């Protein structure tokens, strides 16, 4: 084969997308927004949202041979959807929570699930601590005060509340909860927790009932996933037990808290404050919160740093590559 | 116990005022139109001054009060007190160390998280309803970033301990290398600023440390670097800092102190990579009261001829 210097150059682009293993994606994951090249170099992404066909029709027409699915964690993977994917053997999800997946159906079908492992735990824990310091020390409020010129005209700003000596009740002492505990201990906080089961090798006092935890704590930090047991778990009785000076920080899922009751308690001064990264119906946030001085609100951003997204990419791609070469998964979720 | 006449220089704590009034004869300088006007009537009675970070005991005030025996500062910082003059005249000086260390260290970490994770900006984003129109975007990770501390005293060490819990490697610059730490020592501040990603200013303001953070240090920290100041505004060249932030030569800043509080350069108000606090490092109910108690205890000890609890001079 002679001469054409462009020929060799061209050859590297000759790989048709059919040569790459196919991965179905139902809705655009944030990692694709930032790192799509990394995925599209290795996989043929079958992007359902780019088709004008309704989803069921798209899947029936194009996804029958798809063996792997990449899920950002919002679109529910119900038995009905899974039924349209007869070749599916692997779901990789960027979310650590699995409440969007019909787990019994996956078990029945032998569909393996791999998640993002522990790669963004530090970022979520950092945000929980940041929200707590902000609520107790009024950082966002004070910053706004200075920017509006009020320090110069009005003088002092209201006092905040010290972290040292406060009792922190962690709801869900999983990998994220443990990272939060590890950080807050060094601030002189006392750590208590509630979890599905008492953790061996952990010396923090355990409370089997979240209400009991609330009555002993100055703040509840929600670090657990959303499940049938945790839905609306933080409700009126828990907040009453927490008390008028109590604070709630949520980096889990919005629906773990009864949002209507939370808003009512905050507006009426029945609890002391809240730091919230997640809400029942994102991106909708109850407007009553917007005028409160004792809340700090963030738009579900706990894990969204370039470092975490990159790490998620690496783990997901690693899982997919291993799957397609019949090697063991890197971060298979075992106790589905 | 002869009733000590105490002059409080400015409003700093209602609790402290009340406790001083219970025990001593309290004069409030801000009830007079000027120090001179106060001095005309009361100069010879004042034996104690209670000052803070806004108004301490400078040479002029000391000279105005010929019977002054003790200055009890409602602060740990001593930059508003003419220590040399106090030493010369045999005037005792006390401050409030240790009781406020944790609060100041907490604010330093709070500022780092607020700057890197854009907490104030994102709170505003949600409150304005903007989240409905699109995602907020990415913010910078804190855990694991290298933290450089200028001044590894009580507060600097407390900041280091906290940052370590976030997996941050710690380095520092101090007058002398400290024994018994695992932290990396740098003998000059430029080296420290060059090698760290987050630079925290935690030293006292003295003649030597005045504007120690200048344009060279800021440039060494660089366009991805974050500068945190919980010490004193005059530790940083504020003009250079503002210019560097506006021009993007510095990645961001978290500031609790400024050169001429409560004045803050208004060029900073339009920047979303800075967090600005009105000198609240020790402003919690618990710590304000603990500081006030320490002032009272020092003055009580003095009036009973007992050893001072936290003497500086």
């Amino acid at each position: 084969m002679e001469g054409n210097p462009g020929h060799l150059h061209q050859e590297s682009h000759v790989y048709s997308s059919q040569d790459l293993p196919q991965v179905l994606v139902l809705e655009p994951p944030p990692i694709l927004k930032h790192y799509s090249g990394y995925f599209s170099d290795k996989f043929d992404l079958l992007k359902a949202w780019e088709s004008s066909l309704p989803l069921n029709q798209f899947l029936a027409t194009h996804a029958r041979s798809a063996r792997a699915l990449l899920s950002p964690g919002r679109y529910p993977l119900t038995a009905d959807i899974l039924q349209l994917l007869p070749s599916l053997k692997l779901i990789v999800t960027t979310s650590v929570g699995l409440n969007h997946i019909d787990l019994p159906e996956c078990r029945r079908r032998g569909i393996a699930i791999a998640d993002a492992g522990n790669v963004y735990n530090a970022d979520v824990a950092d945000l929980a601590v940041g929200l707590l310091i902000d609520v107790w020390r009024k950082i966002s409020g004070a910053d706004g005060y200075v920017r509006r010129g009020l320090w110069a005209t009005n003088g002092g700003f209201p006092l905040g509340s010290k972290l040292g000596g406060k009792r922190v009740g962690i709801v869900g002492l999983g990998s994220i909860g443990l990272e939060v505990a590890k950080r807050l201990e060094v601030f002189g906080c006392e750590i208590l927790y509630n979890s599905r089961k008492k953790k061996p090798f952990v010396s923090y006092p355990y409370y089997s009932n979240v209400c009991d935890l609330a009555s002993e704590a100055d703040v509840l930090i929600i670090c657990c996933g959303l499940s049938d047991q945790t839905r609306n778990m933080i409700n009126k009785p828990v907040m009453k037990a927490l008390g008028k000076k109590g604070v709630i920080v949520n980096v889990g899922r919005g629906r773990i808290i009864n949002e209507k009751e939370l808003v009512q308690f905050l507006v009426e001064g029945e609890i002391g404050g809240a730091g919230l990264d997640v809400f029942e119906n994102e991106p909708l946030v109850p407007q009553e919160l917007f005028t409160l001085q004792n809340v700090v609100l963030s738009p579900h951003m706990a894990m969204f740093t370039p470092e975490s997204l990159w790490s998620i990419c690496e783990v997901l791609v690693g899982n997919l590559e291993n799957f397609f070469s019949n090697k063991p998964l890197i971060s298979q979720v075992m106790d589905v | 116990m002869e009733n000590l006449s105490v002059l409080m220089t400015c409003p700093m704590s209602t609790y402290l005022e009340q406790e001083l009034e219970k025990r001593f004869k309290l004069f409030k300088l801000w009830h007079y139109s000027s120090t001179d006007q106060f001095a005309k009537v009361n100069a010879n009675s004042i034996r104690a001054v209670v000052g803070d970070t806004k108004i301490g005991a400078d040479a002029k005030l000391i000279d105005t009060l010929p019977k002054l025996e003790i200055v009890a500062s409602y602060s740990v910082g001593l930059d508003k007190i003419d220590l040399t003059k106090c030493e010369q005249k045999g005037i005792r000086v006390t401050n409030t160390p240790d009781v406020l260390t944790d609060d100041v260290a907490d604010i330093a970490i709070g500022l780092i998280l607020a700057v890197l994770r854009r907490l104030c900006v994102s709170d505003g984003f949600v409150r304005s309803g903007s989240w409905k129109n699109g995602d907020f975007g990415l913010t910078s990770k804190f855990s694991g970033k290298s933290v450089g501390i200028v001044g590894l005293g009580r507060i600097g060490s407390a900041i280091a301990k906290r940052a370590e819990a976030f997996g941050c490697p710690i380095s520092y610059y101090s007058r002398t290398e400290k024994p018994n730490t695992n932290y990396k020592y740098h003998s000059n501040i430029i080296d420290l600023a060059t090698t760290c990603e987050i630079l925290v200013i935690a030293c006292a303001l003295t003649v030597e440390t005045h504007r120690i953070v200048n344009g060279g240090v800021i440039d060494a920290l660089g366009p991805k670097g974050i500068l945190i100041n919980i010490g004193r505004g005059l530790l940083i060249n504020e003009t250079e800092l503002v210019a560097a932030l506006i021009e993007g030569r510095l990645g961001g800043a978290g500031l609790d102190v400024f050169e001429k509080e409560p004045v803050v350069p208004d060029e900073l108000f339009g920047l979303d990579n800075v967090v600005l606090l009105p000198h609240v490092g020790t402003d919690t109910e618990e710590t304000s009261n603990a500081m006030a108690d320490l002032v009272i205890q020092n003055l009580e000890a003095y009036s009973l001829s007992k050893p001072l609890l936290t003497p500086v001079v």
Side-chain angles (χ1 to χ4, degrees):
Chain A
M1 280 203 232
E2 351 195 312
N4 181 355
H7 181 77
L8 277 172
H9 185 67
Q10 242 179 347
E11 209 173 337
S12 62
H13 294 278
V14 151
Y15 281 113
S16 80
S17 57
Q18 279 129 28
D19 291 345
L20 295 176
Q22 195 180 62
V23 177
L24 172 65
V25 197
L26 300 184
E27 38 156 353
I31 39 171
L32 278 194
K33 190 157 92 172
H34 300 278
Y35 298 115
S36 64
Y38 190 51
F39 279 85
S40 54
D41 278 350
K42 299 168 194 286
F43 308 108
D44 171 25
L45 297 176
L46 191 57
K47 300 175 188 172
W49 72 91
E50 284 185 350
S51 165
S52 49
L53 294 174
L55 180 65
N56 288 7
Q57 209 182 327
F58 175 85
L59 295 181
T61 315
H62 296 286
R64 294 199 63 78
S65 56
R67 296 173 57 214
L69 182 153
L70 169 59
S71 164
R74 298 218 186 143
Y75 198 97
L77 298 175
T78 59
D80 289 340
I81 295 280
L82 294 174
Q83 207 168 40
L84 297 168
L85 303 168
S87 309
L88 190 66
K89 281 294 172 202
L90 172 66
I91 296 172
V92 285
T93 178
T94 57
S95 162
V96 163
L98 301 175
N99 50 282
H100 60 295
I101 302 177
D102 187 331
L103 300 175
E105 181 65 11
C106 287
R107 219 177 293 129
R108 191 184 72 74
R109 288 265 308 269
I111 299 173
I113 302 179
D115 66 9
N118 288 328
V119 300
Y120 53 73
N121 292 351
D123 274 333
V124 179
D126 288 358
L127 195 82
V129 174
L131 286 172
L132 182 57
I133 301 178
D134 196 331
V135 173
W136 267 340
R137 299 301 301 272
K138 304 180 189 299
I139 292 182
S140 290
D143 174 81
Y145 188 78
V146 172
R147 280 174 203 263
R148 293 196 303 276
L150 296 172
W151 188 20
T153 55
N154 292 12
F157 185 74
L159 295 176
S161 192
K162 186 181 165 118
L163 268 80
K166 293 281 194 310
R167 296 161 302 165
V168 171
I170 301 197
V171 180
L173 199 70
S175 340
I176 292 175
L178 280 167
E179 293 288 327
V180 174
K182 189 177 92 173
R183 285 156 175 72
L184 288 176
E185 269 192 301
V186 175
F187 287 78
C189 296
E190 214 185 294
I191 309 294
L192 322 166
Y193 75 104
N194 160 259
S195 229
R196 272 173 305 185
K197 295 188 293 253
K198 188 172 198 285
K199 308 280 174 180
F201 318 123
V202 161
S203 58
Y204 310 135
Y206 170 69
Y207 292 80
S208 55
N209 172 317
V210 77
C211 239
D212 291 342
L213 179 70
S215 55
E216 294 299 316
D218 299 303
V219 58
L220 289 180
I221 306 191
I222 316 301
C223 301
C224 56
L226 178 64
S227 67
D228 290 333
Q229 290 79 41
T230 63
R231 195 178 313 272
N232 281 338
M233 175 169 70
I234 309 300
N235 54 14
K236 264 199 183 139
V238 173
M239 290 189 274
K240 261 193 136 77
L242 186 60
K244 289 192 191 218
K245 289 192 165 177
V247 168
I248 295 179
V249 171
N250 191 2
V251 291
R253 283 288 178 271
R255 289 171 196 195
I256 295 171
I257 301 181
N258 182 319
E259 197 163 272
K260 199 150 159 255
E261 291 177 354
L262 173 68
V263 172
Q264 184 195 353
F265 265 57
L266 282 165
V267 165
E268 292 172 5
E270 292 298 319
I271 63 165
L276 308 169
D277 186 47
V278 285
F279 303 86
E280 273 191 12
N281 285 313
E282 296 164 18
L284 299 177
V285 175
Q287 306 234 344
E288 298 93 315
L289 298 178
F290 294 169
T291 50
L292 296 179
Q293 307 291 326
N294 57 348
V295 307
V296 180
L297 309 168
S298 60
H300 200 156
M301 61 178 201
M303 60 178 248
F304 290 103
T305 64
E307 293 89 343
S308 274
L309 288 195
W310 179 246
S311 298
I312 291 170
C313 258
E314 289 185 312
V315 168
L316 292 188
V317 166
N319 276 299
L320 287 166
E321 284 182 328
N322 279 15
F323 171 73
F324 287 119
S325 29
N326 295 318
K327 292 196 197 129
L329 297 174
I330 296 173
S331 48
Q332 179 164 9
V333 180
M334 294 313 280
D335 63 349
V336 270
Chain B
M1 168 164 109
E2 187 191 310
N3 208 359
L4 199 63
S5 283
V6 180
L7 174 66
M8 202 177 194
T9 60
C10 59
M12 53 190 83
S13 155
T14 326
Y15 169 72
L16 179 56
E17 275 175 51
Q18 287 161 358
E19 294 302 303
L20 286 169
E21 270 162 346
K22 281 183 202 165
R23 294 163 174 76
F24 309 112
K25 191 164 194 311
L26 182 64
F27 295 83
K28 299 176 191 177
L29 187 57
W30 65 97
H31 285 188
Y32 299 80
S33 56
S34 68
T35 311
D36 290 332
Q37 208 249 331
F38 169 80
K40 271 197 196 117
V41 191
N42 297 303
N44 284 324
S45 47
I46 298 300
R47 294 169 58 210
V49 161
V50 171
D52 76 346
T53 60
K54 301 189 288 290
I55 305 181
D58 61 5
K60 178 169 187 251
L61 183 65
I62 295 170
D63 282 336
T64 311
L65 307 170
K67 298 285 175 24
L68 182 61
E69 296 168 27
I70 178 169
V71 174
S73 192
Y74 181 71
S75 73
V76 67
L78 300 163
D79 46 288
K80 289 283 164 78
I81 299 174
D82 191 328
L83 293 172
T84 312
K85 200 152 192 105
C86 288
E87 269 166 6
Q88 284 165 357
K89 295 188 126 192
I91 297 170
R92 305 303 307 275
V93 178
T94 67
N95 63 350
T96 61
D98 298 313
V99 296
L100 50 72
T101 301
D102 286 338
D103 265 4
V104 180
D106 293 350
I107 276 285
I109 303 294
L111 280 169
I112 294 173
L113 284 163
V115 174
L116 287 175
R117 302 305 302 270
R118 290 156 58 89
L119 293 178
C120 312
V121 182
S122 63
D123 178 75
F125 178 81
V126 175
R127 282 177 202 258
S128 67
S130 302
W131 193 11
K132 288 184 280 204
N133 302 329
D135 283 338
F136 183 64
L138 304 183
T139 61
S140 293
K141 184 171 180 156
F142 171 34
S143 278
K145 287 220 161 75
S146 52
V147 173
I149 302 180
V150 178
L152 201 68
R154 285 171 290 240
I155 293 174
S157 302
I159 294 170
K161 203 177 81 166
R162 283 153 176 74
E164 274 189 302
F166 290 80
C168 298
I170 310 291
S171 50
Y172 71 101
Y173 163 69
S174 216
R175 277 170 302 187
T176 53
E177 191 168 356
K178 310 282 174 184
N180 306 322
T181 77
N182 290 330
Y183 310 143
K184 180 161 171 48
Y185 172 69
H186 290 272
S187 55
N188 75 78
I189 191 175
I190 295 274
D191 285 351
L192 182 69
T194 308
T195 56
C196 72
E197 295 166 279
I198 303 166
L199 185 66
V200 183
I201 314 305
C203 59
L205 177 63
T206 64
V207 167
E208 292 84 29
T209 61
H210 187 263
R211 299 224 170 106
I212 193 174
V213 180
N214 54 21
V217 175
I218 293 169
D219 286 338
L221 189 49
K224 292 199 167 164
I226 305 291
L227 180 63
I228 303 290
N229 191 5
I230 47 81
R232 286 290 181 267
L234 281 168
L235 290 164
I236 298 181
N237 183 322
E238 202 163 86
T239 313
E240 300 255 14
L241 172 64
V242 172
L245 284 165
I246 292 176
E247 293 162 23
R249 288 183 284 112
L250 180 63
L255 309 168
D256 187 40
V257 286
F258 302 85
E259 278 193 10
K260 292 195 178 72
E261 296 167 20
V263 174
V264 174
D266 47 26
E267 298 96 314
L268 297 178
F269 294 169
L271 299 178
D272 68 0
N273 58 343
V274 305
V275 175
L276 310 166
L277 298 181
H279 202 152
V280 294
T282 65
D283 284 2
T284 63
E285 309 253 2
E286 296 92 334
T287 293
S288 300
N289 290 352
M291 288 166 66
D293 288 343
L294 197 43
V295 168
I296 298 286
Q297 284 156 13
N298 274 300
L299 289 175
E300 276 183 333
Y302 183 76
S303 58
L304 294 171
S305 302
K306 288 197 177 140
L308 300 176
L309 282 79
T310 49
V312 176
V313 172

